[in-house]
Amino acid sequence: MALAFDEFGRPFIILKEQEQKSRLRGLDAQKTNISAGKAVARILRTSLGPKGMDKMLQSPDGDVTITNDGATILEQMDVDNQIAKLMVELSRSQDYEIGDGTTGVVVLAGALLEKAERLLERGIHPIRIAEGYEMASRIAVEHLEGVANKFEFDETNLEPLIQTCMTTLSSKIVNRCKRSLAEIAVKAVLAVADLERKDVNLDLIKVEGKVGGKLEDTELIYGIVVEKDMSHPQMPKQIEDAKIAILTCPFEPPKPKTKHKVDIDTVEKFQTLRLQEQKYFDDMVQKCKDVGATLVICQWGFDDEANHLLMNRNLPAVRWVGGVELELIAIATGGRIVPRFQELSTEKLGKAGLVREKAFGTTKDRMLYIEHCANSRAVTIFIRGGNKMIIEETKRSLHDALCVTRNLIRNKSIVYGGGSAEIACSIAVEAAADRYPGVEQYAIRAFGDALESIPMALAENSGLQPIETLSAVKAQQIKDNNPHFGIDCNDVGTNDMREQNVFETLIGKQQQMLLATQVVKMILKIDDVISPSDY
Amino acid sequence: MAIDRIFKDEASEEKGERARMASFVGAMAIADLVKTTLGPKGMDKILQSTGRGREVTVTNDGATILKSLHIDNPAAKVLVDISKVQDDEVGDGTTSVVVLAGELLREAEKLVATKIHPMTIISGFRMAAECARNALLQKVADNKEDAEKFRSDLMNIAMTTLSSKILSQDKEHFAKLAVDAVMRLKGSTNLESIQIIKKPGGSLMDSFLDEGFILDKKIGIGQPKRIENAKILVANTAMDTDKVKIYGARVRVDSMARVAQIETAEKEKMREKVQKIIGHGINCFVNRQLIYNFPEELFADAGILAIEHADFDGIERLALVTGGEIASTFDNPESVKLGHCDLIEEIMIGEDKLIHFSGVAMGQACTIVLRGASHHVLDEAERSLHDALCVLSQTVNDSRILLGGGWPEMVMAKEVDELAKRTPGKKSLAIEAFSRALLAIPTIIADNAGLDSAELVSQLRAEHQKERCTAGIDVISGSVGDMAERGICEAFKVKQAVLLSATEAAEMILRVDEIITCAPRRREDRM
């Protein structure tokens, strides 16, 4: 640790307890950071592409997750290193923004760091490298727009959308039935999409999973599925043309927030209080009945007495429904959430064509289906699968597919997958590099090299000769001046990604490059790491 | 510059070959653990719990064994999970599914050792699984139309399922019990209406099926022990002192006289409530909550049979079978539906008195009373019977059946082998491996029975080259026998679930190339 001394030769304390802190500076700091970033990227590298492998993650509580979704792996990895955490953030922001390509972005950032390390060894200043990367990423993003295609679809012709979803799903374990899942995802998104405003609120799509059955049994329900059953075992299991009262107040005596006491000191008081209580329950139930509700959905519990009164008046009810589900039900059925019995009125009731309870398997699991809603703007994807891990993984995969579809609705531009876009960008960046005078030229060229690492990883994971395949594809692209050649991961026999129908969204790809460059720039600019030393 | 640790302390990471080895070894260890329980001559396991009392369970049910294990290996957890799902979904085949997945992984390990990429193995396995399923579909028998035959099919399935369990000695008896019980359900899979009561004492053969409903409760003192043509009110209400539910209410008095007054008022209130209940015109009252002495006395006075503190399941079931509703308020007697049954009486099983409701409104429900030498035997008998009931109720809905005794595996293996010969490329190796894994199941069944498995399986394979072969391993006589003749059947649904979940699990484990284990969450040391 470097020390500062004052004019009397005494050590000068700059940092609190500085003897106990370890400090890395200059080239050492950069190299350590780079190696940490690379380590994270190396973990994800084998998960890239349709033939990528999965990771098995064991959580602190011993639960097992098996996934190949980059964001999930990183999130559950229990990372301690600061720079590694940055990479985790990187993948997460790609997940939030785009939803897909979370693995690719980390692999790209790792490759950029690797190339930067070599440049640093040559003595190029990190800021110059960062600037070079910045320029290169701008060139690449612009070039992407050049190679992007407009993508035509409308409500009658969903095929292109389904194809895109299939590309996304093909890298996951669910690729066995990617066709049906892709169809489900597309239909779900279109059901909730606002095509006028080109916006999709993915919150309206609920993804529920239930262990058992086969993956093929996964279905899309135009309505809501709630994992609840009727509060009284003898209430009707099926209600047609239901009018639903959605309540957030319990069927229980009121509990005023202010502290109070009701003192009972005479027999009369005791009796009036009792009558009051009975009347209270009676009023509550009667109120629901009066406005014409045929189903009560409540966020809270019921008292035994209230429960029986509901049953007695032939008013089926569901209790302990979660807040989010309640909101979805309200949206789907066009009802209003009512916080007090007094405010209940006929127009606030939601409407659904069919409400039914369904039992599964040999255990007594029941689910409540609310279908044919007034407003079909809320849908549920109901996943079945062999075990819990498959279901979780299917949920994640479907999330990716839903995001991709949403992005396509927002912006119809696409680029071709299979690494073809990266190779095309790499060629463009390298061609542009020669035009820049100065040291940045090297950084730009390095960026071009780094882009190639994605097709390289794809080829490696698919069991192809990476260097041979990549150079062949690159040569082909330059020769034919056709940016659609990529790595043939599935061994179909053609390199033209347009024929294979493998594509990704333009914004997804652009975002990947921009985000990766930004993080790498940030890491390169760090020249001093001060951390509390191990105790 | 060395790479800093990117993980937290104690978190570990295993990569590539090592990760794959770890998951293979873990999965195979689990499969080997339950392997010996497979088949009619499979052995049982003793499980001792770590909790207080060191309770002991003796079982041969795969799901039960695996559920009680404390496992650290993540791949092993995947297998435990599939066995649990198999149990929930179809009820039987919990051991087979784990063994098959284990065998698939064992074969996969050999392939990986010869440098075949896991993805190639997976795609081979998928093709094989699809082909095997189709092979089964072609061979299923469906006797739904013929009621007589269907029943005998059910009997066969029940006997086959039970033959690997502790009940195998009396399997005919229990198969009949299970089939009768399931037939009463008339196609519904709601096993809740079949109640199983365990009473130690007697022998397993003394177990019987009762068409009524048995509640494990005593009748209050001084109340009638036998009621004919009973009207039953099923309730869930407080019969101690009715609490005032309004928040913040409390009794505050200034003299003893007042206390007495309020007490009288309370009593009065209870008396009123009882009067209201009696006003329903009932002669039997069943409550989920306690009934205190005072109301009990009132009921006894009115000649009403009052049963207190029935458990929630019991109440629901009772309401279901008698057709009454569970009531909590008693103000409008005319709208409350009462339950009916022809006869309520107290019966003795062993040393215990139970209440027996017979001639109930809904004929679906029934009770199976299990008798046996000890709690362990009874517990195991219940599990076995549960398996049989699950399988039967699923079969009633999906009536396709297959022969047992390793026959389906041989059929599948044969088709898969054919497929391997037709498939070009490295995948065919994986497909071959799949068929070997399928053959492992009859091998294990034979091994467990102490037979010469190599000899038997090869004989069986030769038999299966013939058209319309029905040969399988007959463990009792120790030779290859005709399964159709011996009446050994299995439900198609179970076999299909075994095949698909095992392949899925194996695939999932194969795809893993890295295991990251987080640091275990610190727990306070409880001394």
Side-chain angles (χ1 to χ4, degrees), chain B residues 2 12 93 95 176 235 244 299 324 349:
Chain B
S12 64
T95 315
K176 202 166 154 334
V244 179
F299 282 123
I349 297 178

Side-chain angles (χ1 to χ4, degrees), chain A residues 50 98 100-101 144 147-153 157-171 178-179 182 186 400-401 403-405 407-409 411-422 458 483-487 489-490 495-509 512:
Chain A
I98 307 296
D100 189 26
L144 270 183
V147 299
N149 283 27
K150 272 282 177 238
F151 177 75
E152 287 314 317
F153 71 92
N157 180 18
L158 298 178
E159 196 52 36
L161 276 180
I162 295 174
Q163 289 290 347
T164 325
C165 278
M166 275 165 65
T167 313
T168 311
L169 291 174
S170 63
S171 67
K178 59 181 172 186
R179 173 84 207 180
V186 170
D400 284 6
C403 288
V404 167
T405 320
N407 295 340
L408 278 178
I409 287 175
N411 184 345
K412 289 189 181 172
S413 304
I414 53 149
V415 290
Y416 286 91
S420 63
E422 281 86 359
L458 279 177
H484 302 145
F485 288 117
I487 307 287
C489 298
N490 290 323
N495 275 338
D496 195 337
M497 290 297 132
R498 202 149 44 162
E499 277 171 39
Q500 284 204 22
N501 270 325
V502 177
F503 33 63
E504 292 171 64
T505 55
L506 171 66
I507 31 175
K509 261 285 116 73
Q512 263 188 4

Side-chain angles (χ1 to χ4, degrees), chain A residues 278-289:
Chain A
Q278 262 178 5
K279 191 169 168 317
Y280 191 81
F281 281 125
D282 204 57
D283 281 353
M284 283 192 297
V285 178
Q286 197 55 42
K287 185 81 198 168
C288 298
K289 194 80 189 163

Side-chain angles (χ1 to χ4, degrees), chain A residues 24 28 31-32 35-36 39-40 42-43 46-47 50-64 66 68 73 76-81 84-85 171-176 211-216 232-234 253-256 258 260-267 270-271 273-274 276-278 281 303-306 308-309 311-313 360-364 366 384-390 460-461 463, chain B residues 1-9 11 13 15 20 23 72-75 77-78 81-82 85 87-91 117-119 126 133 189-192 236 243-253 258 261-262 265-266 269 272 276 288-289 313 316 319-320 323-329 331-332 335-336 386 390 393-394 496 500-501 504-505 507-521 523:
Chain A
L24 277 174
D28 274 351
K31 284 199 173 163
T32 325
S35 65
V40 174
R42 211 169 41 228
I43 291 177
T46 52
S47 287
K51 295 273 165 100
M53 305 295 275
D54 288 5
K55 307 278 176 254
M56 192 182 265
L57 301 150
Q58 198 168 17
S59 82
D61 296 324
D63 296 333
V64 179
I66 297 181
N68 85 7
I73 298 172
Q76 306 221 347
M77 226 163 56
D78 211 5
V79 164
D80 205 23
N81 186 294
K85 274 186 186 157
S171 67
K172 317 280 171 179
I173 197 168
V174 295
N175 60 5
R176 186 154 48 93
V211 179
K214 313 191 277 288
L215 214 47
E216 284 84 353
H232 197 287
Q234 281 154 322
K255 284 184 183 161
T258 42
H260 72 292
K261 287 194 184 88
V262 182
D263 281 348
I264 305 171
D265 50 6
T266 62
V267 175
F270 180 75
Q271 268 157 358
L273 203 62
R274 215 183 84 212
Q276 193 80 41
E277 188 190 289
Q278 262 178 5
F281 281 125
D303 197 273
D304 285 345
E305 246 178 282
H308 179 247
L309 278 173
M311 163 73 202
N312 202 310
R313 307 256 160 98
F360 292 97
T362 60
T363 46
K364 28 184 181 173
R366 297 208 186 86
R384 307 299 311 274
N387 58 44
K388 207 170 66 209
M389 289 155 220
I390 288 263
E460 254 172 58
N461 290 347
Chain B
M1 195 73 222
I3 309 170
D4 275 12
R5 291 182 62 90
I6 37 171
F7 297 111
K8 287 204 179 99
D9 296 343
E13 183 194 8
K15 291 189 133 176
R20 212 165 279 137
S23 44
D72 209 29
N73 185 299
K77 281 190 181 150
V78 176
D81 205 47
I82 55 168
V85 173
D87 194 26
D88 287 350
E89 210 37 32
V90 284
H117 195 269
M119 284 298 167
R126 270 189 195 163
R133 191 168 152 230
T189 52
N190 187 1
L191 290 179
E192 278 169 66
N236 175 17
K243 288 171 210 84
V244 179
K245 285 170 189 154
I246 291 172
Y247 183 71
R250 61 170 188 174
V251 180
R252 177 175 240 174
V253 289
R258 285 281 167 78
Q261 272 176 10
I262 286 180
E266 257 178 14
K269 182 183 160 196
E272 240 173 66
K276 267 186 206 157
R288 189 175 81 80
Q289 300 175 23
D313 273 353
E316 272 188 27
L320 190 75
E325 68 176 41
I326 302 173
S328 293
T329 55
D331 288 329
N332 12 4
S335 68
V336 175
H386 175 255
C390 287
S393 68
Q394 295 293 336
Q496 174 182 283
L500 294 181
S501 338
E504 221 166 65
E507 188 181 308
M508 202 148 75
I509 294 172
L510 265 177
R511 281 176 69 110
V512 172
D513 74 335
E514 181 153 350
I515 303 178
I516 297 167
T517 316
C518 296
R521 202 184 293 283
R523 295 206 179 84

